[in-house]
């Protein structure tokens, strides 16, 4: 067990060092700093509720940064490409395929956590500057707990997507096909709640459709509802937080989802050659 953990940590260390050498985080942080500096110049154009608009902008910017990291740097690192021999696959021969998958996931998760930690600090500073620059009537609420919950939810969402990308990379060769399938998966996850709500409203008007409703409900097991992890509307609001049990259930389901897809990715990789 100790030897397996050492080998996983070694692969993760390679991924982290490679990501830092490629400046995978530096460019995203520079982009975020530039966007936040622009927000300090243009928030005066917001007529009211500046606090909510600013917090939405900060979290949306972090989502965009994580999105770019996952679907460009992450896919390039994870995807199996016969024309591109990466150092991870060359050095992974003495270890099992499961250790390879967990090492890649751990390394990318470390980079992702570092990125979000830096963006969280920068975003908090930007919000405090905006709060001091405007009249209290426009930014009278800032709740630290929903702010931190929003970042935890964002990290959980990104880890779920990363586990799905790992599974797709074992099923399909090439970074571009993996990118397309992963984008399609995210689009389905984002659109499914809208479809489910529309079907529910139609069923209320025209009569029950239990088969379609049940099918859409069970599809959530494969295509998760990311809105359950969205708390950014509570940062600058006096609305009460959801029940602690509900929050724990949502994050517990996230952990279960990541664990399941990592297990499936390990099974797929054991039946394929990394080369």
């Amino acid at each position: 067990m100790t030897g397996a953990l050492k080998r996983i940590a070694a692969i993760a260390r390679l991924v982290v060092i490679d990501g830092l050498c490629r400046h995978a985080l530096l460019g995203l942080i520079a982009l975020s700093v530039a966007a936040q500096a622009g927000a300090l110049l243009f928030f005066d154009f917001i007529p009211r509720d500046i606090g909510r608009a600013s917090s939405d902008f900060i979290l949306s910017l972090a989502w965009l940064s994580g999105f770019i990291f996952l679907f460009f740097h992450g896919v390039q690192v994870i995807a199996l490409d016969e024309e591109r021999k990466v150092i991870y696959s060359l050095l992974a021969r003495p270890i099992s395929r499961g250790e390879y998958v967990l090492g890649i996931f751990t390394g990318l998760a470390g980079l992702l956590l570092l990125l979000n930690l830096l963006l969280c600090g920068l975003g908090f500073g930007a919000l405090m500057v905006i709060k001091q620059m405007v009249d209290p009537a426009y930014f009278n609420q800032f709740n630290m707990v929903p702010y931190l919950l929003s970042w935890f939810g964002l990290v959980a969402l990104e880890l779920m997507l990363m586990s799905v990308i790992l599974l797709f990379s074992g099923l399909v060769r090439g970074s571009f096909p993996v990118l397309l399938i992963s984008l399609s998966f995210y689009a389905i996850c984002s659109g499914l709640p809208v479809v489910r709500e529309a079907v529910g409203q139609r069923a209320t008007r025209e009569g029950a459709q239990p088969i379609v409703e049940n099918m859409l409900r069970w599809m959530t097991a494969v295509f998760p509802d990311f809105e359950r992890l969205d708390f950014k509307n509570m940062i600058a609001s006096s609305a009460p937080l959801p029940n602690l049990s509900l929050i724990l259930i949502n994050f517990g389901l996230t952990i279960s989802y990541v664990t399941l897809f990592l297990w499936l990715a390990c099974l797929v990789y054991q039946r394929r050659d990394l080369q």
Side-chain angles (χ1 to χ4, degrees):
M1 184 66 180
T2 304
L5 292 177
K6 288 182 179 179
R7 291 189 290 271
I8 291 172
I11 292 293
R13 182 170 176 268
L14 285 174
V15 175
V16 171
I17 293 175
D18 181 69
L20 295 176
C21 291
R22 292 186 184 184
H23 306 294
L25 302 185
L26 186 61
L28 293 175
I29 293 173
L31 173 66
S32 300
V33 170
Q36 291 178 11
L40 295 177
L41 298 176
F42 293 104
F43 70 86
D44 283 334
F45 292 97
I46 302 174
R48 60 181 180 178
D49 210 355
I50 295 176
R52 176 172 294 182
S54 301
S55 58
D56 285 351
F57 176 78
I58 295 296
L59 268 298
S60 298
L61 185 62
W63 169 84
L64 178 62
S65 300
F67 189 89
I68 295 173
F69 177 85
L70 283 175
F71 288 102
F72 292 93
H73 177 73
V75 168
Q76 291 295 323
V77 171
I78 293 172
L80 298 176
D81 197 332
E82 296 185 5
E83 297 181 356
R84 185 174 55 88
K85 308 300 184 183
V86 295
I87 190 172
Y88 321 122
S89 57
L90 294 176
L91 295 180
R93 293 182 181 215
I95 71 174
S96 69
R97 296 301 187 245
E99 292 169 351
Y100 173 84
V101 171
L102 295 178
I104 294 293
F105 179 84
T106 304
L108 289 175
L111 288 173
L112 197 59
L113 290 174
L114 179 59
L115 174 64
N116 282 281
L117 182 62
L118 294 173
L119 292 180
C120 179
L122 291 172
F124 177 78
L127 289 176
M128 290 299 99
V129 171
I130 293 174
K131 193 174 188 299
Q132 294 296 324
M133 294 176 65
V134 301
D135 190 272
Y138 298 104
F139 199 157
N140 59 354
Q141 291 280 343
F142 178 79
N143 301 313
M144 193 64 185
V145 174
Y147 182 74
L148 295 178
L149 275 177
S150 299
W151 285 97
F152 283 127
L154 182 61
V155 172
L157 183 155
E158 292 167 347
L159 292 179
M160 292 169 73
L161 287 176
M162 191 189 303
S163 64
V164 171
I165 293 173
L166 266 170
L167 176 60
F168 289 154
S169 69
L171 297 172
V172 181
R173 287 188 181 272
S175 57
F176 187 67
V178 173
L179 174 62
L180 290 180
I181 297 174
S182 302
L183 287 172
S184 301
F185 176 86
Y186 181 78
I188 294 173
C189 292
S190 300
L192 189 59
V194 180
V195 176
R196 190 165 55 245
E197 182 179 357
V199 170
Q201 293 176 354
R202 182 178 178 182
T204 303
R205 295 193 308 266
E206 302 178 4
Q209 294 178 328
I211 297 178
V212 177
E213 288 187 70
N214 291 333
M215 182 186 68
L216 293 174
R217 188 177 299 110
W218 281 105
M219 285 178 66
T220 308
V222 180
F223 304 100
D225 184 3
F226 295 137
E227 293 181 0
R228 297 171 181 255
L229 302 173
D230 187 3
F231 303 96
K232 64 177 180 295
N233 291 331
M234 301 178 182
I235 296 175
S237 173
S238 58
L241 285 172
N243 293 330
L244 180 60
S245 59
L246 180 60
I247 296 175
L248 293 178
I249 288 173
N250 288 335
F251 282 103
L253 289 174
T254 299
I255 295 173
S256 302
Y257 188 90
V258 172
T259 303
L260 174 62
F261 271 76
L262 284 179
W263 177 71
L264 291 175
C266 291
L267 290 181
V268 171
Y269 268 75
Q270 287 173 359
R271 289 166 173 76
R272 299 199 65 170
D273 184 8
L274 294 179
Q275 299 295 324

